[in-house]
Amino acid sequence: FHVQKDLKKKEQVEEVLTQLEKQYGRIINAFTFGPLLVENGVCVVPDDAKYTYFNVGAQVHAQRISFTQVGRLEYLIIATEGPDNKNSRGMTLYEIAKTTEGEAKAYAPDGNCISYNLDGGSSSTVIFNNKKINAPGAKSRTINDIIYFATLVK
């Protein structure tokens, strides 16, 4: 992952992409999501009831997913259930960030990890072996893109 913070205009994004392409070559995947949850193994979301991040509902208890790089081509995905699921209230951004910070220590004990918040709510779906494994009681909605992991090992 390469973190680009505080880009608010299209021109800024284009400039950063041009710089990254000069340094690393062609950009294959670029994601615009967030906020950044954990950087260098440390939670960067403030425990502040006034904290906001665009329209992601930072203080709302919701179904959430954190996407964490713990090593070269190694990732940790944490998916939570939300208020649509029996006996669940969901998590705020701060809560998912602190959970991710704690869990990532087992996979990146040197603290070399970085984590982002993906879209929350009913688009936070994890499928494994063709079966939804998180938030079984949550409503569904159509989504336009996915992050997909595959292996060549049978």
Side-chain angles (χ1 to χ4, degrees):
F1 285 170
H2 297 280
V3 180
Q4 303 303 315
K5 299 177 188 175
D6 301 320
L7 301 178
K8 295 186 179 15
K9 296 182 179 179
K10 182 179 179 184
E11 295 79 23
Q12 292 174 305
V13 172
E14 289 171 352
E15 181 180 329
V16 167
L17 286 174
T18 300
Q19 291 170 0
L20 286 171
E21 285 181 344
K22 285 179 183 175
Q23 186 174 357
Y24 297 105
R26 189 171 134 239
I27 303 295
I28 304 298
N29 296 299
F31 303 102
T32 55
F33 48 81
L36 181 64
L37 299 174
V38 174
E39 185 172 35
N40 297 318
V42 178
C43 172
V44 295
V45 174
D47 183 13
D48 179 352
K50 294 180 182 177
Y51 173 73
T52 61
Y53 184 82
F54 293 96
N55 64 347
V56 298
Q59 305 307 323
V60 174
H61 289 91
Q63 183 175 318
R64 301 197 183 266
I65 290 186
S66 66
F67 185 69
T68 308
Q69 184 173 23
V70 294
R72 188 174 189 274
L73 299 178
E74 294 180 81
Y75 302 93
L76 170 68
I77 309 299
I78 298 176
T80 72
E81 294 188 355
D84 289 341
N85 293 98
K86 186 177 180 179
N87 300 321
S88 178
R89 68 172 178 81
M91 288 187 169
T92 64
L93 277 180
Y94 175 73
E95 290 170 337
I96 189 68
K98 287 302 283 184
T99 299
T100 300
E101 175 190 57
E103 293 297 320
K105 288 181 186 344
Y107 300 93
D110 62 355
N112 190 17
C113 69
I114 190 163
S115 182
Y116 292 93
N117 177 68
L118 296 181
D119 194 16
S122 58
S123 65
S124 297
T125 299
V126 179
I127 306 291
F128 184 73
N129 285 337
N130 216 22
K131 182 179 178 189
K132 183 176 181 184
I133 62 170
N134 73 311
K139 57 189 169 209
S140 296
R141 73 175 197 182
T142 301
I143 56 173
N144 296 321
D145 52 13
I146 64 171
I147 297 174
Y148 180 84
F149 295 93
T151 182
L152 294 175
V153 178
K154 287 187 176 185

